[in-house]
């Protein structure tokens, strides 16, 4: 598949249609939260119904491209206080509606609250607020709980397995933003990739941002497909990966000798 180990800049649905059925082992992503975050090239203030309808199309494509037993790790944060939406529940309901198996809910504890300003009713049960210092990672499987693979390609250690199988993960947020408002910390992606995939598997991030999923996939001997609509984010992802590729002697070897390439969605006709 010519999309492997490529940075693809284009609309998520347009690009995903080019991915063959049953060719991805693990999808890891965090969609735009629709709370007015200033992304480079995305309207983050859709109506809630339009937001859910758009992402439902993405989830359907995600299920299509996953192998039997393939996993989908979906990161989402609680919404704001004044306009609270149970988006994590709505996403879980959407996934179950399309036939995905819900298998876990990881609590990513970030503890980012330093100076409280939104107490609501101070020292009173009149109207107190709870500020979330956590995000969710919802984990789903396609068709089966089991992902088949060569046991020799399972590279998680006993200590890692014991640590990661506890669903309360304290991981500080990423401080190196690389021009993105909400980047993944590498540790979060490292845990998901090591726990839910084999070396050599294909890992997809359909809202790839500045490339953290692709980078960790590359470092851990997986193959990747990175999609994002922002040319700026894709350029940053390419530059980060190119730097790592030139230093690969520091990391484990990667199956298939991948070459990082930057492609726009207009080039996809030549890739498929």
């Amino acid at each position: 598949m010519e999309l492997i180990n490529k940075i693809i800049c284009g609309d998520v649905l347009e690009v995903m249609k080019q991915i063959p059925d049953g060719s991805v082992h693990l999808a890891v992503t965090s969609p735009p939260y629709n709370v007015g975050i200033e992304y480079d090239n995305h309207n983050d203030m859709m109506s809630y119904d339009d937001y859910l309808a758009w992402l439902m199309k993405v989830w359907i494509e995600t299920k299509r491209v996953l192998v039997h037993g393939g996993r989908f790790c979906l990161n989402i944060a609680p919404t704001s206080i004044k306009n609270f939406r149970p988006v994590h529940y709505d996403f879980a309901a959407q996934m179950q509606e399309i036939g995905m198996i819900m298998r876990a809910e990881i609590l990513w504890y970030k503890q980012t609250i330093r100076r409280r300003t939104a107490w609501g009713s101070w020292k009173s049960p009149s109207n107190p607020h709870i500020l979330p210092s956590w995000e969710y990672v919802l984990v789903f499987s396609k068709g089966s709980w089991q992902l088949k693979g060569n046991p020799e390609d399972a590279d998680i250690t006993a200590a890692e397995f014991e640590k990661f199988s506890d669903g309360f993960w304290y991981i500080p947020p990423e401080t190196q933003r690389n021009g993105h408002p909400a980047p993944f910390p590498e540790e979060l992606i490292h845990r998901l990739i090591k726990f839910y995939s084999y070396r050599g598997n294909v890992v997809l991030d359909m809202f790839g941002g500045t490339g953290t999923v692709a980078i960790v996939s590359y470092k851990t001997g997986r193959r990747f497909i990175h999609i994002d609509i922002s040319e700026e984010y894709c350029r940053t992802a390419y530059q980060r990966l190119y730097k790592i590729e030139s230093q690969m002697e520091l990391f484990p070897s990667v199956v298939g000798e991948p070459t990082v390439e930057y492609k726009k969605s207009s080039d996809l006709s030549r890739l498929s």
Side-chain angles (χ1 to χ4, degrees):
M1 181 172 54
E2 293 299 325
L3 295 175
I4 294 292
N5 295 329
K6 302 291 192 299
I7 302 299
I8 308 296
C9 183
D11 176 80
V12 57
L13 290 170
E14 179 184 341
V15 178
M16 287 188 72
K17 288 176 181 177
Q18 305 298 321
I19 302 175
D21 294 358
S23 57
V24 172
H25 302 87
L26 172 64
V28 181
T29 204
S30 183
Y33 286 179
N34 207 47
V35 292
I37 293 176
E38 294 185 4
Y39 290 102
D40 173 59
N41 190 12
H42 170 74
N43 172 20
D44 202 46
M45 287 296 289
M46 302 180 191
S47 74
Y48 193 63
D49 287 344
D50 288 345
Y51 174 66
L52 291 180
W54 169 58
L55 285 175
M56 183 64 151
K57 296 176 183 177
V58 178
W59 309 151
I60 291 170
E61 282 296 296
T62 302
K63 181 184 178 185
R64 179 187 65 80
V65 304
L66 284 173
V67 301
H68 186 71
R71 286 73 184 270
F72 181 23
C73 300
L74 174 57
N75 166 235
I76 190 68
T79 54
S80 62
I81 294 171
K82 291 184 178 179
N83 189 29
F84 183 82
R85 301 279 191 175
V87 64
H88 49 302
Y89 296 143
D90 290 334
F91 284 171
Q94 286 184 318
M95 292 296 175
Q96 291 174 307
E97 182 179 342
I98 65 173
M100 294 287 281
I101 301 168
M102 187 167 186
R103 55 182 304 155
E105 182 179 270
I106 298 166
L107 195 68
W108 169 23
Y109 182 59
K110 303 190 297 181
Q111 184 51 278
T112 56
I113 299 172
R114 294 291 181 265
R115 182 173 178 270
R116 291 289 300 272
T117 58
W119 296 101
S121 57
W122 169 250
K123 295 179 64 177
S124 168
S126 172
N127 185 28
H129 296 332
I130 291 179
L131 297 185
S133 55
W134 68 90
E135 296 191 13
Y136 300 98
V137 180
L138 310 179
V139 183
F140 307 88
S141 289
K142 174 183 172 179
S144 173
W145 284 69
Q146 183 178 8
L147 177 65
K148 293 182 179 180
N150 185 343
E152 294 182 359
D153 291 326
D155 57 351
I156 189 168
T157 67
E160 287 174 332
F161 193 90
E162 290 181 6
K163 182 177 181 180
F164 301 169
S165 59
D166 182 336
F168 183 84
W169 291 1
Y170 171 63
I171 303 173
E174 181 58 61
T175 57
Q176 300 297 320
R177 293 186 175 271
N178 293 297
H180 192 282
F184 280 133
E186 285 198 22
E187 175 63 20
L188 177 68
I189 306 308
H190 177 85
R191 294 189 187 192
L192 294 171
I193 286 176
K194 292 289 288 291
F195 198 74
Y196 286 116
S197 71
Y198 298 92
R199 284 177 51 83
N201 279 176
V202 175
V203 182
L204 165 69
D205 187 350
M206 66 288 278
F207 297 104
T210 53
T212 302
V213 171
I215 286 168
V216 178
S217 300
Y218 198 46
K219 287 182 178 180
T220 56
R222 277 74 172 170
R223 296 170 291 167
F224 66 84
I225 302 174
H226 169 108
I227 304 168
D228 201 278
I229 197 170
S230 165
E231 291 192 23
E232 178 182 346
Y233 297 164
C234 286
R235 280 194 295 269
T236 299
Y238 174 79
Q239 291 165 359
R240 294 176 70 197
L241 278 157
Y242 185 82
K243 181 178 180 181
I244 289 172
E245 187 183 30
S246 66
Q247 301 171 342
M248 277 306 294
E249 67 271 15
L250 301 178
F251 303 109
S253 60
V254 179
V255 174
E257 299 182 359
T259 299
V260 176
E261 294 186 22
Y262 172 79
K263 297 287 185 182
K264 294 184 180 180
S265 59
S266 57
D267 299 326
L268 289 178
S269 61
R270 296 197 296 275
L271 293 176
S272 58

